[in-house]
Amino acid sequence: MCGIVGYVGSARSTEVLLGGLRRLEYRGYDSAGIAVIDADGALSSAKKAGKLQVLADELAEHPIADGPTGIGHTRWATHGGPTDGNAHPHLADGGRLALIHNGIIENFAPLKAELLAEGVEFTSETDSEVAAHLVAREFRQTHDLTEAMRRTVALLEGAFTLLAVHADQPGVVVGARRNSPLVVGLGDGENFLGSDVAAFVSYTQRALAIGQDQIVTIRPDSVSVIDFDGNPADASEFEVNWDASAAEKGGWSSFMAKEISEEPEAVQKTLLGRVHDGAITLHDLEPIADRLQQVDRVIVIACGTAAYAGLLGKYAIEQWARVPVEVELAHEFRYRDPVLDGRTLVVSISQSGETMDTLMAVKYAREHGAQVLSICNTQGATIPRESDAVIYTHAGPEVAVASTKAFLAQGVALYLLGLHLATLRGTLSSEEIAAQVAELEALPPKLQQTIDDAADVTTLARWMADTRSVLFLGRHVGYPIALEGALKLKELAYIHAEGFAAGELKHGPIALIEPGQIVFVIVPSPRDPRSLHPKVVSNIQEIRARGARVIAIAEEGDAAVLPFADEVLRIPLASPLIEPLLAVAPLHMFAMELATAKGLDVDQPRNLAKSVTVE
Ligand code: F6R
């Protein structure tokens, strides 16, 4: 939430900052702004409510002086509405200092009262402006921006990434972070700061991950890092493993359309190097290999779509490895005094690796003795750094705010974990493991086939553009898929949608069914040994009898659903644990197409931001 970019180098800050903000806009799009110090040491800034394009248009009409040093911000509003005045950067010291902030300063009220008593005038309703005036106050004492930042962060409570520039120190950008993301891009005669590597990946793929409670000072030829006590600190360098083109639309109508089309590739890349000759090799788990032998319980913590992926993993891990698995929303987990010990494996799932709720739950779990394995899609992110081990999904950058391809990659990573644990615990034979590995390896082409065959989804979505409510039913692995289908429809198309376990229907939700109610049903395979298929077909009949319009997602050749469904979307055959994953792409496409039919922005839905870095 809130995208941050900083730059020192050549005299083209404006271009670098706007380019970086364009790539970070998924983090917030309520307002945007930049501040630039020109070659003569004069600071100018511009900021506008609305999407980044509004600022870009403003700058095209009224350019500010360009220069070698600058900072830029795209906002997701917390304190104070999305207005020009509340947009960042915030100025202080008579307009000689500019500061941007991502996060929430929890003690801003007493600090503001203190500054007001000192005669400081505020021009916004934000918590962030407090930090600008504090850095300015400390700068007047120290004449050193790094030290001023260090003294300021000692006064702040909450979560923050702060970047500041001062006209008296041109050629310097200072950043600080606590519980909010910040990475450095290492250039040649220029350096960059960003909320994530997308901010600068078109200029450099060399990056430094800034650790918790660290302050970084970038100049054109140097980067120095200290901790909040002022001691020199290490930052780990890494190479970004994707290039700028991966974060471009590349001819697609939206990032969402592109990212759904990449679902097969996301799965394939997540499997790559981890499955061989019918067996699983998870080198990622080496840091926790010893303790993994002792695990007697798994708790998955995550939020939103990532939590639904966690539910997929529960079915697979319990069935294959015979370890009890709980799945819990990260923001609930740490406030309920969970029972944890050294035999508990906590698995955190996060596409961004920055979700504050998940990060806090990870820290809590480790502090209380559990070992934490993270499943993450973003190199250099905070959650993997705070974990004992990490399985990176290789879904590639997700730019659309709603998560799509990462969901499948996360599910597959959990399936790999399930098979790894089954191997360790001897709960599956090598033949059984090989059979499941073959199923996973066959998933990408089947996903591709599903996407290629999904023309009916587009027709359905257009036909339903005026629908006010859609229900999604599934059982077993189909249940988390139903939850995901409903979430995607809510967030992209702003339509009331609910996902239910099909068996739960008769315990209450069936009261929602009235003539014309649209219900998607993910139908289990008739080959499922648990005989869930006839039960779900009965559920379909129960809702049809009450007037529902049923769209069944069923495997090829399943004729039993035909008499009872208004529409049937077909998916290829796979094993019962894996087949429901094939229903994901049609549901993602349905939500996207319906939102498009309503004329909505599928990449940047209202009120949302990717990477939720506030609690
Ligand atoms: C839904 C969506 C969110 C995220 C959730 C967790 O489409 O994108 O529900 O899944 O905010 O985000 P990460 O995975 O980055 O921790």
Side-chain angles (χ1 to χ4, degrees):
M1 276 179 175
C2 296
I4 277 188
V5 54
Y7 176 72
V8 275
S10 69
R12 58 183 172 134
S13 288
T14 304
E15 173 198 323
V16 175
L17 297 174
L18 288 179
L21 290 180
R22 196 156 285 122
R23 290 181 193 284
L24 294 182
E25 202 180 9
Y26 67 83
R27 301 179 66 89
Y29 29 87
D30 291 338
S31 62
I34 61 170
V36 173
I37 301 178
D38 68 19
D40 300 327
L43 189 151
S44 334
S45 67
K47 53 188 191 173
K48 289 302 271 179
K51 291 194 174 179
L52 180 62
Q53 193 54 44
V54 180
L55 174 70
D57 292 345
E58 166 72 13
L59 285 166
E61 211 171 311
H62 304 109
I64 60 171
D66 214 344
T69 311
I71 54 177
H73 187 268
T74 178
R75 178 168 187 246
W76 186 82
T78 58
H79 295 54
T83 61
D84 288 356
N86 288 333
H88 300 215
H90 294 289
L91 303 183
D93 220 3
R96 298 180 64 70
L97 177 138
L99 176 138
I100 54 180
H101 169 222
N102 166 207
I104 291 181
I105 297 169
E106 287 170 1
N107 60 337
F108 86 99
L111 291 169
K112 185 167 179 174
E114 187 184 313
L115 287 161
L116 285 168
E118 291 170 14
V120 171
E121 287 180 16
F122 282 78
T123 57
S124 80
E125 304 151 287
T126 65
D127 53 338
S128 315
E129 193 183 351
V130 164
H133 292 299
L134 288 173
V135 178
R137 182 176 81 183
E138 301 304 326
F139 187 84
R140 283 193 292 274
Q141 312 256 326
T142 58
H143 303 287
D144 178 71
L145 197 53
T146 307
E147 180 57 13
M149 182 65 87
R150 199 186 71 75
R151 292 185 181 195
T152 298
V153 293
L155 304 171
L156 304 181
E157 290 166 16
F160 48 82
T161 302
L162 300 169
L163 298 192
V165 291
H166 199 292
D168 289 358
Q169 262 192 298
V172 174
V173 182
V174 177
R177 65 159 294 213
R178 166 174 288 165
N179 293 333
S180 276
L182 182 61
V183 280
V184 181
L186 300 169
D188 191 6
E190 57 184 358
N191 287 305
F192 308 80
L193 292 167
S195 298
D196 75 41
V197 298
F200 49 73
V201 74
S202 51
Y203 300 101
T204 179
Q205 285 175 272
R206 283 178 59 217
L208 272 189
I210 298 301
Q212 187 70 315
D213 288 1
Q214 291 183 348
I215 295 173
V216 57
T217 304
I218 62 166
R219 295 182 169 81
D221 296 312
S222 71
V223 173
S224 63
V225 186
I226 57 172
D227 63 22
F228 280 7
D229 294 326
N231 305 310
D234 288 334
S236 47
E237 185 172 336
F238 64 96
E239 187 83 15
V240 182
N241 62 4
W242 50 272
D243 63 22
S245 64
E248 299 289 349
K249 266 191 221 162
W252 291 89
S253 56
S254 62
F255 281 108
M256 172 69 43
K258 175 179 178 245
E259 289 161 14
I260 294 172
S261 82
E262 290 169 346
E263 287 182 354
E265 191 184 342
V267 169
Q268 189 163 29
K269 289 191 170 161
T270 300
L271 292 173
L272 198 70
R274 293 173 172 145
V275 288
H276 291 287
D277 302 328
I280 304 286
T281 320
L282 277 182
H283 292 303
D284 320 74
L285 301 183
E286 272 162 19
I288 54 169
D290 291 347
R291 291 176 74 192
L292 219 45
Q293 306 274 0
Q294 327 292 324
V295 164
D296 64 3
R297 193 162 63 112
V298 175
I299 305 179
V300 179
I301 49 171
C303 303
T305 281
Y308 299 153
L311 270 179
L312 294 174
K314 174 180 168 74
Y315 292 94
I317 297 170
E318 287 190 340
Q319 183 173 325
W320 290 334
R322 311 305 304 148
V323 195
V325 181
E326 295 161 42
V327 181
E328 185 144 5
L329 295 170
H331 37 89
E332 289 295 315
F333 170 77
R334 77 182 176 117
Y335 295 107
R336 71 163 171 86
D337 200 8
V339 180
L340 300 168
D341 60 33
R343 293 162 72 93
T344 313
L345 176 67
V346 168
V347 179
S348 88
I349 310 174
S350 176
Q351 188 285 131
S352 61
E354 300 292 349
T355 299
M356 178 67 78
D357 292 315
T358 310
L359 172 62
M360 290 303 166
V362 164
K363 289 185 174 188
Y364 181 96
R366 286 188 82 196
E367 281 159 19
H368 289 77
Q371 52 190 328
V372 176
L373 164 67
S374 286
I375 293 177
C376 181
N377 195 45
T378 310
Q379 288 172 291
T382 309
I383 291 173
R385 291 161 57 84
E386 297 286 332
S387 306
D388 298 295
V390 55
I391 299 178
Y392 279 107
T393 48
H394 297 299
E398 240 189 19
V399 179
V401 164
S403 192
T404 53
K405 58 180 178 172
F407 173 65
L408 279 165
Q410 289 159 349
V412 164
L414 285 160
Y415 279 36
L416 290 174
L417 176 65
L419 291 175
H420 180 83
L421 291 174
T423 310
L424 279 185
R425 298 163 66 86
T427 46
L428 290 184
S429 67
S430 53
E431 291 75 23
E432 287 168 320
I433 302 239
Q436 295 304 334
V437 167
E439 287 278 352
L440 287 174
E441 287 178 314
L443 190 54
K446 289 180 187 174
L447 281 168
Q448 190 59 56
Q449 187 188 330
T450 312
I451 292 172
D452 294 344
D453 293 349
D456 289 354
V457 173
T458 312
T459 317
L460 274 176
R462 289 188 186 146
W463 168 66
M464 291 181 194
D466 295 329
T467 300
R468 294 169 59 103
S469 164
V470 180
L471 304 183
F472 294 80
L473 302 183
R475 266 195 102 133
H476 196 250
V477 181
Y479 169 46
I481 308 284
L483 294 172
E484 167 65 4
L487 177 59
K488 222 66 352 159
L489 194 61
K490 279 182 236 192
E491 62 184 335
L492 295 188
Y494 317 153
I495 288 178
H496 170 257
E498 299 282 344
F500 295 111
E504 186 66 8
L505 208 61
K506 56 192 175 299
H507 299 288
I510 199 163
L512 289 169
I513 305 291
E514 55 186 35
Q517 171 69 53
I518 291 164
V519 186
F520 274 80
V521 184
I522 298 136
V523 183
S525 167
R527 297 165 296 117
D528 187 324
R530 285 161 289 254
S531 305
L532 289 173
H533 180 269
K535 295 186 176 61
V536 171
V537 172
S538 299
N539 295 147
I540 293 177
Q541 294 179 61
E542 287 152 16
I543 55 174
R544 272 298 287 293
R546 288 160 178 85
R549 293 186 63 87
V550 172
I551 300 155
I553 305 186
E555 72 174 32
E556 284 160 4
D558 176 0
V561 291
L562 280 174
F564 311 113
D566 296 278
E567 303 284 339
V568 182
L569 303 174
R570 292 295 182 185
I571 51 176
L573 270 62
S575 73
L577 268 175
I578 289 171
E579 190 174 288
L581 301 184
L582 295 163
V584 172
L587 294 180
H588 282 168
M589 291 168 84
F590 175 74
M592 176 184 74
E593 294 293 351
L594 205 153
T596 306
K598 289 178 73 174
L600 300 172
D601 182 341
V602 292
D603 287 340
Q604 296 180 344
R606 70 181 177 204
N607 303 338
L608 291 171
K610 207 169 180 71
S611 189
V612 183
T613 52
V614 294
E615 271 198 85

